[in-house]
Amino acid sequence: MLKEDCASELKVHLAKSLPLPSSVNRPRIDLIVFVINLHSKYSLQNTEESLRHVDASFFLGKVCFLATGAGRESHCSIHRHTVVKLAHTYQSPLLYCDLEVEAFRATMAQRLVRMLQVCAGHVPGVSALNLLSLLRSSEGPSLEDM
Amino acid sequence: MYRNGVQGRYKQTMDSYDASESTPRQSTSSRPEDYFIGATFLQKRLESVRKQTSFVPTPPRRKIPHCSLLQEDVDLQKVAFLLHKQWTLYSLTPLYKFSYSNLKEYSRLLNAFIVAEKQKGLAVEVGEDFNIKVIFSTLLGIKGTQRDPEAFLVQILSKSQLPSENRESKVLWTGWFCCIFGDSLLETVSEDFTCLPLFLANGTESNTAIIGTWFQKTFDCYFSPLAINAFNLSWMAAMWTACKMDHYVATTEFLWSVPCSPQSLDISYAIHPEDAKALWDSVHKTPGEVTQEEVDLFMDCLYSHFHRHFKIHLSATRLVRVSTSVASAHTDGKIKILCHKYLIGVLAYLTELAIFQIE
């Protein structure tokens, strides 16, 4: 993501789990991306644990889920349905990307930077909440089943 | 204004999904005389594909495999050879114009093909026995419902060279095709096709490849290896542990592969089968059914127990092999069935996975 060209300063903070230590002074967080590895149940459990520490105001468009590893079906130990349900519960978009593939990574980085710009308020006329409702309306009717 | 436009479009697509969901059931029963063959079957196929993409393929609940074979007078001797053997799994698309009455003809053709292939290939292998015999036979009773096509078996036997009376034929290769509860696939294909989506093979890879080629050329079908992912392996572990057994012939064992460099590490975890059953019983709520939550809870109990003792998070590793007294399965698509009572149940789950892979 840092390789992408962006008008303002872009900072990425990586963390294995939340909560982040409160002793450090850090700039405002505009977007939280939870990366879930479909090959590992531990990754899902970790994410679920971390979600509890996120302030409710973030869920108005500043949180998104990124599921990786869907390409290698034989290695998956989490069903797609589980992450879809998780994203639905938290009313946040779910993106799929095989982070191991260079091309997909680059595309996803572009997409995330664009989302980040919206969430940070740098795109006039579109707010994080607008973006959220636009993304939600493109999800299929399978949500009705849950 | 823009947002309203997007939502309006979404509602329309939703209505068409609802409509497509309700028609397949109706079309099969109310229009039997409707013989616009192309349109009907293509329509059904499209509907099933649409169903698959928008709805979750794995049901959250599944029945515990029941123990009975369909026909009660099935000779257990005949199916006994299917047990205690390691089978490699493949999924197979429907066979075009396959007929059960032509089995002798197929035996002859396949025999000729195999001999031709072997002679064609490599250098002269002294001692290579070309006196082989191919036998096609039906396997009675290996089906879930009456609608399922009959399972059939292909065997390659080596004919002994000696002209003496007692010829001992050694079985070189065995493969069988079956379909257990394959309704979702049977609905979508026309009369000319025979659906036997699950193929199990035991024998050398080269023989499997030759026979696969012959089937693909003759019946316009396609084989692909059936891998079993960790998610499905944990379902199998739960379902097989849930099976009632009179006595246990093997310990319940799990094998995980830890992805690390340079070599991957394997972790093996063995439990006494009665303890596993006791754990399952404490987790299990609804009789006769297995739910996703129960499977997850069962596995989580094992993971947390392991973590408490060894401080290793098994949930971050990949489940590679599950072994119980009912059957054992490996992620590469290998299965060994140990218990004849649950043979149909095990095959039913595998058929489901095969159908999912085809679609």
Side-chain angles (χ1 to χ4, degrees):
Chain A
M1 267 175 74
L2 290 168
K3 291 190 197 151
E4 285 297 312
D5 252 336
C6 178
S8 26
E9 207 186 310
L10 179 81
K11 283 208 174 101
V12 178
H13 181 98
L14 293 173
K16 280 220 179 107
S17 66
L18 297 175
L20 298 174
S22 52
S23 53
V24 176
N25 223 3
R26 67 174 65 81
R28 182 192 73 200
I29 294 178
D30 289 316
L31 178 65
I32 305 180
V33 181
F34 285 99
V35 181
I36 304 175
N37 185 355
L38 291 177
H39 299 181
S40 154
K41 264 193 187 159
Y42 180 60
S43 162
L44 182 67
Q45 284 167 350
N46 208 359
T47 306
E48 284 172 344
E49 256 306 306
S50 306
L51 277 165
R52 294 197 193 119
H53 298 278
V54 177
D55 187 50
S57 62
F58 276 98
F59 291 106
L60 296 172
K62 297 201 178 164
V63 168
C64 99
F65 295 95
L66 180 62
T68 177
R72 286 206 288 180
E73 177 64 34
S74 57
H75 286 228
C76 285
S77 42
I78 305 174
H79 199 270
R80 197 175 53 92
H81 177 178
T82 317
V83 288
V84 170
K85 201 162 149 203
L86 181 70
H88 182 64
T89 314
Y90 285 94
Q91 305 285 324
S92 295
L94 173 63
L95 306 170
Y96 291 96
C97 175
D98 251 332
L99 291 176
E100 295 172 22
V101 180
E102 180 65 45
F104 294 166
R105 257 207 323 261
T107 321
M108 185 49 65
Q110 271 178 359
R111 199 170 168 188
L112 285 174
V113 168
R114 198 73 190 124
M115 267 180 81
L116 179 58
Q117 284 176 328
V118 170
C119 292
H122 290 188
V123 177
V126 188
S127 74
L129 206 48
N130 281 0
L131 185 62
L132 183 63
S133 52
L134 282 174
L135 286 173
R136 279 222 326 245
S137 61
S138 61
E139 279 163 15
S142 56
L143 294 173
E144 302 287 309
D145 260 322
M146 302 188 219
Chain B
M1 292 304 279
Y2 172 61
R3 223 186 311 149
N4 283 341
V6 168
Q7 279 175 355
R9 248 189 292 135
Y10 164 58
K11 278 210 174 56
Q12 281 175 359
T13 41
M14 211 174 118
D15 288 345
S16 71
Y17 273 116
D18 279 339
S20 68
E21 197 227 334
S22 54
T23 37
R25 294 284 147 216
Q26 289 171 354
S27 64
T28 43
S29 53
S30 63
R31 297 188 293 164
E33 299 89 359
D34 195 350
Y35 254 61
F36 308 123
I37 298 179
T40 315
F41 290 112
L42 187 59
Q43 194 180 24
K44 277 198 214 151
R45 191 94 189 92
L46 277 175
E47 276 156 0
S48 95
V49 168
R50 227 183 273 146
K51 258 198 301 189
Q52 286 290 343
T53 49
S54 58
F55 295 94
V56 179
T58 306
R61 307 182 153 265
R62 185 177 279 115
K63 286 215 194 71
I64 292 177
H66 40 77
C67 57
S68 59
L69 294 174
L70 189 64
Q71 287 165 293
E72 302 202 334
D73 52 353
V74 169
D75 193 358
L76 280 179
Q77 290 287 341
K78 291 211 178 110
V79 296
F81 76 95
L82 298 175
L83 305 175
H84 301 285
K85 255 206 196 70
Q86 175 153 294
W87 302 100
T88 308
L89 299 169
Y90 295 85
S91 66
L92 177 62
T93 57
L95 302 164
Y96 184 65
K97 289 215 161 45
F98 174 84
S99 163
Y100 290 94
S101 47
N102 289 350
L103 294 183
K104 277 212 167 23
E105 178 71 17
Y106 298 147
S107 310
R108 210 178 45 81
L109 290 170
L110 183 53
N111 202 337
F113 185 79
I114 294 176
V115 171
E117 283 291 314
K118 290 207 171 194
Q119 280 175 342
K120 185 202 290 192
L122 322 166
V124 178
E125 284 177 40
V126 184
E128 178 78 35
D129 186 7
F130 287 144
N131 279 341
I132 54 164
K133 203 165 87 169
V134 174
I135 301 182
F136 276 63
S137 53
T138 47
L139 282 171
L140 294 171
I142 310 279
K143 46 161 57 170
T145 63
Q146 284 299 344
R147 259 187 95 180
D148 289 330
E150 287 290 343
F152 73 93
L153 174 74
V154 180
Q155 279 176 311
I156 302 182
L157 306 157
S158 70
K159 269 193 302 198
S160 133
Q161 302 256 7
L162 304 166
S164 62
E165 282 172 29
N166 45 345
R167 294 172 173 217
E168 287 164 27
S169 351
K170 206 176 71 165
V171 177
L172 296 174
W173 185 92
T174 316
W176 48 296
F177 302 73
C178 66
C179 175
I180 318 283
F181 297 115
D183 288 330
S184 60
L185 188 62
L186 291 167
E187 275 169 17
T188 62
V189 298
S190 70
E191 297 288 320
D192 294 329
F193 288 92
T194 311
C195 287
L196 292 161
L198 188 62
F199 173 60
L200 302 94
N202 174 287
T204 58
E205 269 296 312
S206 56
N207 280 333
T208 309
I210 294 175
I211 289 162
T213 316
W214 183 81
F215 269 91
Q216 285 176 163
K217 281 201 331 212
T218 317
F219 301 110
D220 194 24
C221 58
Y222 185 70
F223 287 89
S224 59
L226 185 65
I228 309 174
N229 64 25
F231 177 78
N232 289 318
L233 282 175
S234 41
W235 262 94
M236 286 184 189
M239 289 198 301
W240 298 342
T241 309
C243 293
K244 267 200 269 291
M245 301 278 288
D246 298 325
H247 65 278
Y248 292 98
V249 299
T251 50
T252 302
E253 206 180 304
F254 297 84
L255 186 69
W256 281 272
S257 162
V258 185
C260 61
S261 55
Q263 282 170 326
S264 65
L265 183 68
D266 283 336
I267 300 177
S268 165
Y269 183 4
I271 323 171
H272 194 278
E274 279 164 14
D275 292 339
K277 182 76 164 71
L279 174 62
W280 173 257
D281 288 336
S282 65
V283 164
H284 186 51
K285 302 269 165 3
T286 34
E289 269 187 343
V290 179
T291 65
Q292 180 68 59
E293 291 84 38
E294 287 168 1
V295 175
D296 286 339
L297 195 51
F298 179 68
M299 296 304 289
D300 283 341
C301 288
L302 297 174
Y303 291 152
S304 54
H305 181 80
F306 199 84
H307 179 66
R308 205 180 310 135
H309 289 270
F310 299 101
K311 293 283 175 277
I312 295 180
H313 288 283
L314 281 175
S315 47
T317 62
R318 182 167 74 105
L319 182 58
V320 156
R321 187 162 183 267
V322 164
S323 184
T324 63
S325 294
V326 171
S328 75
H330 188 278
T331 192
D332 290 339
K334 307 229 188 304
I335 188 126
K336 193 191 276 193
I337 307 173
L338 303 170
C339 175
H340 70 268
K341 214 166 136 195
Y342 296 106
L343 174 66
I344 297 294
V346 171
L347 293 174
Y349 189 74
L350 295 173
T351 308
E352 200 180 313
L353 294 181
I355 292 176
F356 179 53
Q357 188 170 293
I358 297 171
E359 291 177 346

